[in-house]
Structure formats: C-alpha cells, structure tokens
Amino acid sequence: MNETMVCVVGNVATRPVYRETASGPAARFRVAVTSRYWDREKSAWADGHTNFFTVWANRQLATNAAASLSVGEPVIVQGRLKVRTETREGQQGWMSADIDAVAIGHDLARGTTAFRRAQRPEQTAVPDRSEPDWDSAPADTTAANEGAGQKPPRPAMVT
C-alpha cells in the first residue's frame, strides 16, 4: 500500500532475459537513465550522472517486453521501486535499485513504434458479455422471489 511508485525515462541497456517460471513468465533487463543539463560555460547540453535500474516484468508484460525491446531503444518504465542491499562474507557490500514494472513502453518523443495487440490464449468457454436487460428482472430472480413469498421489485418512478 505504501509503495514508492516511479516513472523513469531512459534507454534499454541490456538485452531482456526471458524465463518461464513456476509462477508464470518473467523477464528482466537494465535501463540506463542519464540526466542532462545546460552547461552555461560551454553553451551546450551536457550529460550528468547515469543511473542503472534492473527492471523486472511478470506475466504478459514479461512476454511482450522480451518480444518488443532491444538494446539502445528509448523506453519509459513505471513501477514499484525496490532498493536492495547485500553484504557477502569477505566482500564489500553493494546496493541495487530494482523496478517491479507495471507498464513499459517506447518513448515516442524520441521515435516511432508500431503497436500490435498480443494474441490471447484460446479459451474453452466464452463468457456471456451481453448487456443485461435493466428494464426487467431476470427470470430466475422472479421465480425465487415468488417462491419466498416476496413481491418482485417494481421500477422506481421519476416525477
């Protein structure tokens, strides 16, 4: 509930690695985010510090990211920031910043892309998604109400 949501704009730094796991598809890649600033002395734009984030994607997002992203492409990643620290015996400790992605997309400010809707797996039963008839009560509800000695609901009148 109290998670740190971030949105980063950068470039894909490593090839997405796709894996099928017991909990479903998963993918990870690194994104490089470099700040830019106007250098008044040189009268030109200059690159600042580069931050690297490991982006983790799951389920359909993982499948689509692995099929869509290549090294060097500009991306926008939105997700939960997780900072991890680890120390190993006899080694210096390290920190990493990971993003558990909710959404990933190409940065259209820096180029174009062509969207293709992902194919959904075949479903055995098609759910009934027809619009309900709001003017009359369903047949099974009316029968249940009559059997219980209740009157069927009457439509409200507007004056």
mmCIF file with all atom_site columns, all heavy atoms in Angstrom, residues 97-114:
data_model
loop_
_atom_site.group_PDB
_atom_site.id
_atom_site.type_symbol
_atom_site.label_atom_id
_atom_site.label_alt_id
_atom_site.label_comp_id
_atom_site.label_asym_id
_atom_site.label_entity_id
_atom_site.label_seq_id
_atom_site.pdbx_PDB_ins_code
_atom_site.Cartn_x
_atom_site.Cartn_y
_atom_site.Cartn_z
_atom_site.occupancy
_atom_site.B_iso_or_equiv
_atom_site.pdbx_formal_charge
_atom_site.auth_seq_id
_atom_site.auth_comp_id
_atom_site.auth_asym_id
_atom_site.auth_atom_id
_atom_site.pdbx_PDB_model_num
ATOM 1   N N   . ALA A 1 97  ? 19.116 -0.925 -7.304  1.00 0.00 ? 97  ALA A N   1
ATOM 2   C CA  . ALA A 1 97  ? 17.779 -0.344 -7.411  1.00 0.00 ? 97  ALA A CA  1
ATOM 3   C C   . ALA A 1 97  ? 17.018 -1.127 -8.472  1.00 0.00 ? 97  ALA A C   1
ATOM 4   O O   . ALA A 1 97  ? 17.420 -1.165 -9.638  1.00 0.00 ? 97  ALA A O   1
ATOM 5   C CB  . ALA A 1 97  ? 17.864 1.127  -7.770  1.00 0.00 ? 97  ALA A CB  1
ATOM 6   N N   . ASP A 1 98  ? 15.944 -1.770 -8.069  1.00 0.00 ? 98  ASP A N   1
ATOM 7   C CA  . ASP A 1 98  ? 15.118 -2.566 -8.964  1.00 0.00 ? 98  ASP A CA  1
ATOM 8   C C   . ASP A 1 98  ? 13.768 -1.898 -9.127  1.00 0.00 ? 98  ASP A C   1
ATOM 9   O O   . ASP A 1 98  ? 13.281 -1.219 -8.224  1.00 0.00 ? 98  ASP A O   1
ATOM 10  C CB  . ASP A 1 98  ? 14.898 -3.970 -8.402  1.00 0.00 ? 98  ASP A CB  1
ATOM 11  C CG  . ASP A 1 98  ? 16.182 -4.772 -8.266  1.00 0.00 ? 98  ASP A CG  1
ATOM 12  O OD1 . ASP A 1 98  ? 17.225 -4.299 -8.719  1.00 0.00 ? 98  ASP A OD1 1
ATOM 13  O OD2 . ASP A 1 98  ? 16.113 -5.875 -7.692  1.00 0.00 ? 98  ASP A OD2 1
ATOM 14  N N   . ILE A 1 99  ? 13.171 -2.108 -10.286 1.00 0.00 ? 99  ILE A N   1
ATOM 15  C CA  . ILE A 1 99  ? 11.816 -1.618 -10.541 1.00 0.00 ? 99  ILE A CA  1
ATOM 16  C C   . ILE A 1 99  ? 10.961 -2.820 -10.898 1.00 0.00 ? 99  ILE A C   1
ATOM 17  O O   . ILE A 1 99  ? 11.245 -3.528 -11.870 1.00 0.00 ? 99  ILE A O   1
ATOM 18  C CB  . ILE A 1 99  ? 11.779 -0.576 -11.672 1.00 0.00 ? 99  ILE A CB  1
ATOM 19  C CG1 . ILE A 1 99  ? 12.616 0.641  -11.300 1.00 0.00 ? 99  ILE A CG1 1
ATOM 20  C CG2 . ILE A 1 99  ? 10.337 -0.172 -11.969 1.00 0.00 ? 99  ILE A CG2 1
ATOM 21  C CD1 . ILE A 1 99  ? 12.750 1.663  -12.411 1.00 0.00 ? 99  ILE A CD1 1
ATOM 22  N N   . ASP A 1 100 ? 9.919  -3.064 -10.102 1.00 0.00 ? 100 ASP A N   1
ATOM 23  C CA  . ASP A 1 100 ? 8.938  -4.100 -10.399 1.00 0.00 ? 100 ASP A CA  1
ATOM 24  C C   . ASP A 1 100 ? 7.918  -3.447 -11.326 1.00 0.00 ? 100 ASP A C   1
ATOM 25  O O   . ASP A 1 100 ? 7.032  -2.719 -10.879 1.00 0.00 ? 100 ASP A O   1
ATOM 26  C CB  . ASP A 1 100 ? 8.303  -4.593 -9.101  1.00 0.00 ? 100 ASP A CB  1
ATOM 27  C CG  . ASP A 1 100 ? 7.390  -5.776 -9.311  1.00 0.00 ? 100 ASP A CG  1
ATOM 28  O OD1 . ASP A 1 100 ? 7.402  -6.363 -10.412 1.00 0.00 ? 100 ASP A OD1 1
ATOM 29  O OD2 . ASP A 1 100 ? 6.658  -6.119 -8.368  1.00 0.00 ? 100 ASP A OD2 1
ATOM 30  N N   . ALA A 1 101 ? 8.064  -3.669 -12.618 1.00 0.00 ? 101 ALA A N   1
ATOM 31  C CA  . ALA A 1 101 ? 7.333  -2.906 -13.632 1.00 0.00 ? 101 ALA A CA  1
ATOM 32  C C   . ALA A 1 101 ? 5.835  -3.186 -13.640 1.00 0.00 ? 101 ALA A C   1
ATOM 33  O O   . ALA A 1 101 ? 5.397  -4.329 -13.500 1.00 0.00 ? 101 ALA A O   1
ATOM 34  C CB  . ALA A 1 101 ? 7.909  -3.181 -15.005 1.00 0.00 ? 101 ALA A CB  1
ATOM 35  N N   . VAL A 1 102 ? 5.084  -2.126 -13.819 1.00 0.00 ? 102 VAL A N   1
ATOM 36  C CA  . VAL A 1 102 ? 3.644  -2.190 -14.026 1.00 0.00 ? 102 VAL A CA  1
ATOM 37  C C   . VAL A 1 102 ? 3.344  -1.912 -15.497 1.00 0.00 ? 102 VAL A C   1
ATOM 38  O O   . VAL A 1 102 ? 2.448  -2.493 -16.088 1.00 0.00 ? 102 VAL A O   1
ATOM 39  C CB  . VAL A 1 102 ? 2.917  -1.169 -13.119 1.00 0.00 ? 102 VAL A CB  1
ATOM 40  C CG1 . VAL A 1 102 ? 1.444  -1.106 -13.421 1.00 0.00 ? 102 VAL A CG1 1
ATOM 41  C CG2 . VAL A 1 102 ? 3.151  -1.499 -11.662 1.00 0.00 ? 102 VAL A CG2 1
ATOM 42  N N   . ALA A 1 103 ? 4.134  -0.999 -16.099 1.00 0.00 ? 103 ALA A N   1
ATOM 43  C CA  . ALA A 1 103 ? 3.966  -0.635 -17.505 1.00 0.00 ? 103 ALA A CA  1
ATOM 44  C C   . ALA A 1 103 ? 5.326  -0.307 -18.107 1.00 0.00 ? 103 ALA A C   1
ATOM 45  O O   . ALA A 1 103 ? 6.172  0.295  -17.455 1.00 0.00 ? 103 ALA A O   1
ATOM 46  C CB  . ALA A 1 103 ? 3.035  0.565  -17.636 1.00 0.00 ? 103 ALA A CB  1
ATOM 47  N N   . ILE A 1 104 ? 5.510  -0.721 -19.359 1.00 0.00 ? 104 ILE A N   1
ATOM 48  C CA  . ILE A 1 104 ? 6.734  -0.444 -20.104 1.00 0.00 ? 104 ILE A CA  1
ATOM 49  C C   . ILE A 1 104 ? 6.321  -0.043 -21.513 1.00 0.00 ? 104 ILE A C   1
ATOM 50  O O   . ILE A 1 104 ? 5.447  -0.684 -22.108 1.00 0.00 ? 104 ILE A O   1
ATOM 51  C CB  . ILE A 1 104 ? 7.644  -1.695 -20.187 1.00 0.00 ? 104 ILE A CB  1
ATOM 52  C CG1 . ILE A 1 104 ? 8.005  -2.203 -18.793 1.00 0.00 ? 104 ILE A CG1 1
ATOM 53  C CG2 . ILE A 1 104 ? 8.893  -1.394 -21.001 1.00 0.00 ? 104 ILE A CG2 1
ATOM 54  C CD1 . ILE A 1 104 ? 8.688  -3.567 -18.803 1.00 0.00 ? 104 ILE A CD1 1
ATOM 55  N N   . GLY A 1 105 ? 6.946  0.993  -22.041 1.00 0.00 ? 105 GLY A N   1
ATOM 56  C CA  . GLY A 1 105 ? 6.640  1.394  -23.409 1.00 0.00 ? 105 GLY A CA  1
ATOM 57  C C   . GLY A 1 105 ? 7.782  2.157  -24.037 1.00 0.00 ? 105 GLY A C   1
ATOM 58  O O   . GLY A 1 105 ? 8.665  2.661  -23.347 1.00 0.00 ? 105 GLY A O   1
ATOM 59  N N   . HIS A 1 106 ? 7.755  2.237  -25.358 1.00 0.00 ? 106 HIS A N   1
ATOM 60  C CA  . HIS A 1 106 ? 8.752  3.038  -26.065 1.00 0.00 ? 106 HIS A CA  1
ATOM 61  C C   . HIS A 1 106 ? 8.466  4.516  -25.844 1.00 0.00 ? 106 HIS A C   1
ATOM 62  O O   . HIS A 1 106 ? 7.308  4.928  -25.715 1.00 0.00 ? 106 HIS A O   1
ATOM 63  C CB  . HIS A 1 106 ? 8.712  2.727  -27.562 1.00 0.00 ? 106 HIS A CB  1
ATOM 64  C CG  . HIS A 1 106 ? 9.319  1.404  -27.895 1.00 0.00 ? 106 HIS A CG  1
ATOM 65  N ND1 . HIS A 1 106 ? 8.589  0.351  -28.352 1.00 0.00 ? 106 HIS A ND1 1
ATOM 66  C CD2 . HIS A 1 106 ? 10.603 0.977  -27.825 1.00 0.00 ? 106 HIS A CD2 1
ATOM 67  C CE1 . HIS A 1 106 ? 9.393  -0.678 -28.566 1.00 0.00 ? 106 HIS A CE1 1
ATOM 68  N NE2 . HIS A 1 106 ? 10.618 -0.332 -28.236 1.00 0.00 ? 106 HIS A NE2 1
ATOM 69  N N   . ASP A 1 107 ? 9.522  5.333  -25.806 1.00 0.00 ? 107 ASP A N   1
ATOM 70  C CA  . ASP A 1 107 ? 9.400  6.778  -25.634 1.00 0.00 ? 107 ASP A CA  1
ATOM 71  C C   . ASP A 1 107 ? 9.143  7.398  -27.001 1.00 0.00 ? 107 ASP A C   1
ATOM 72  O O   . ASP A 1 107 ? 10.053 7.530  -27.824 1.00 0.00 ? 107 ASP A O   1
ATOM 73  C CB  . ASP A 1 107 ? 10.676 7.343  -25.000 1.00 0.00 ? 107 ASP A CB  1
ATOM 74  C CG  . ASP A 1 107 ? 10.579 8.818  -24.706 1.00 0.00 ? 107 ASP A CG  1
ATOM 75  O OD1 . ASP A 1 107 ? 9.528  9.430  -24.999 1.00 0.00 ? 107 ASP A OD1 1
ATOM 76  O OD2 . ASP A 1 107 ? 11.563 9.369  -24.187 1.00 0.00 ? 107 ASP A OD2 1
ATOM 77  N N   . LEU A 1 108 ? 7.908  7.783  -27.261 1.00 0.00 ? 108 LEU A N   1
ATOM 78  C CA  . LEU A 1 108 ? 7.525  8.310  -28.568 1.00 0.00 ? 108 LEU A CA  1
ATOM 79  C C   . LEU A 1 108 ? 8.026  9.729  -28.805 1.00 0.00 ? 108 LEU A C   1
ATOM 80  O O   . LEU A 1 108 ? 7.912  10.241 -29.910 1.00 0.00 ? 108 LEU A O   1
ATOM 81  C CB  . LEU A 1 108 ? 6.004  8.241  -28.740 1.00 0.00 ? 108 LEU A CB  1
ATOM 82  C CG  . LEU A 1 108 ? 5.427  6.826  -28.711 1.00 0.00 ? 108 LEU A CG  1
ATOM 83  C CD1 . LEU A 1 108 ? 3.920  6.868  -28.906 1.00 0.00 ? 108 LEU A CD1 1
ATOM 84  C CD2 . LEU A 1 108 ? 6.084  5.939  -29.743 1.00 0.00 ? 108 LEU A CD2 1
ATOM 85  N N   . ALA A 1 109 ? 8.610  10.371 -27.800 1.00 0.00 ? 109 ALA A N   1
ATOM 86  C CA  . ALA A 1 109 ? 9.228  11.679 -28.004 1.00 0.00 ? 109 ALA A CA  1
ATOM 87  C C   . ALA A 1 109 ? 10.533 11.532 -28.788 1.00 0.00 ? 109 ALA A C   1
ATOM 88  O O   . ALA A 1 109 ? 11.037 12.509 -29.337 1.00 0.00 ? 109 ALA A O   1
ATOM 89  C CB  . ALA A 1 109 ? 9.501  12.357 -26.663 1.00 0.00 ? 109 ALA A CB  1
ATOM 90  N N   . ARG A 1 110 ? 11.065 10.311 -28.827 1.00 0.00 ? 110 ARG A N   1
ATOM 91  C CA  . ARG A 1 110 ? 12.351 10.086 -29.493 1.00 0.00 ? 110 ARG A CA  1
ATOM 92  C C   . ARG A 1 110 ? 12.267 9.144  -30.683 1.00 0.00 ? 110 ARG A C   1
ATOM 93  O O   . ARG A 1 110 ? 13.286 8.728  -31.218 1.00 0.00 ? 110 ARG A O   1
ATOM 94  C CB  . ARG A 1 110 ? 13.362 9.567  -28.481 1.00 0.00 ? 110 ARG A CB  1
ATOM 95  C CG  . ARG A 1 110 ? 13.613 10.577 -27.364 1.00 0.00 ? 110 ARG A CG  1
ATOM 96  C CD  . ARG A 1 110 ? 14.791 10.197 -26.531 1.00 0.00 ? 110 ARG A CD  1
ATOM 97  N NE  . ARG A 1 110 ? 14.380 9.323  -25.441 1.00 0.00 ? 110 ARG A NE  1
ATOM 98  C CZ  . ARG A 1 110 ? 15.225 8.556  -24.770 1.00 0.00 ? 110 ARG A CZ  1
ATOM 99  N NH1 . ARG A 1 110 ? 16.486 8.540  -25.065 1.00 0.00 ? 110 ARG A NH1 1
ATOM 100 N NH2 . ARG A 1 110 ? 14.790 7.808  -23.780 1.00 0.00 ? 110 ARG A NH2 1
ATOM 101 N N   . GLY A 1 111 ? 11.074 8.783  -31.108 1.00 0.00 ? 111 GLY A N   1
ATOM 102 C CA  . GLY A 1 111 ? 10.944 7.907  -32.267 1.00 0.00 ? 111 GLY A CA  1
ATOM 103 C C   . GLY A 1 111 ? 9.539  7.375  -32.396 1.00 0.00 ? 111 GLY A C   1
ATOM 104 O O   . GLY A 1 111 ? 8.640  7.746  -31.641 1.00 0.00 ? 111 GLY A O   1
ATOM 105 N N   . THR A 1 112 ? 9.338  6.497  -33.373 1.00 0.00 ? 112 THR A N   1
ATOM 106 C CA  . THR A 1 112 ? 8.018  5.919  -33.618 1.00 0.00 ? 112 THR A CA  1
ATOM 107 C C   . THR A 1 112 ? 8.068  4.424  -33.335 1.00 0.00 ? 112 THR A C   1
ATOM 108 O O   . THR A 1 112 ? 9.137  3.810  -33.290 1.00 0.00 ? 112 THR A O   1
ATOM 109 C CB  . THR A 1 112 ? 7.564  6.142  -35.071 1.00 0.00 ? 112 THR A CB  1
ATOM 110 O OG1 . THR A 1 112 ? 8.482  5.480  -35.939 1.00 0.00 ? 112 THR A OG1 1
ATOM 111 C CG2 . THR A 1 112 ? 7.489  7.612  -35.396 1.00 0.00 ? 112 THR A CG2 1
ATOM 112 N N   . THR A 1 113 ? 6.909  3.857  -33.174 1.00 0.00 ? 113 THR A N   1
ATOM 113 C CA  . THR A 1 113 ? 6.791  2.415  -32.973 1.00 0.00 ? 113 THR A CA  1
ATOM 114 C C   . THR A 1 113 ? 5.457  1.969  -33.554 1.00 0.00 ? 113 THR A C   1
ATOM 115 O O   . THR A 1 113 ? 4.565  2.786  -33.767 1.00 0.00 ? 113 THR A O   1
ATOM 116 C CB  . THR A 1 113 ? 6.894  2.065  -31.464 1.00 0.00 ? 113 THR A CB  1
ATOM 117 O OG1 . THR A 1 113 ? 6.988  0.663  -31.317 1.00 0.00 ? 113 THR A OG1 1
ATOM 118 C CG2 . THR A 1 113 ? 5.723  2.599  -30.677 1.00 0.00 ? 113 THR A CG2 1
ATOM 119 N N   . ALA A 1 114 ? 5.315  0.708  -33.837 1.00 0.00 ? 114 ALA A N   1
ATOM 120 C CA  . ALA A 1 114 ? 4.063  0.159  -34.361 1.00 0.00 ? 114 ALA A CA  1
ATOM 121 C C   . ALA A 1 114 ? 3.505  -0.807 -33.327 1.00 0.00 ? 114 ALA A C   1
ATOM 122 O O   . ALA A 1 114 ? 4.160  -1.776 -32.957 1.00 0.00 ? 114 ALA A O   1
ATOM 123 C CB  . ALA A 1 114 ? 4.300  -0.557 -35.682 1.00 0.00 ? 114 ALA A CB  1
#
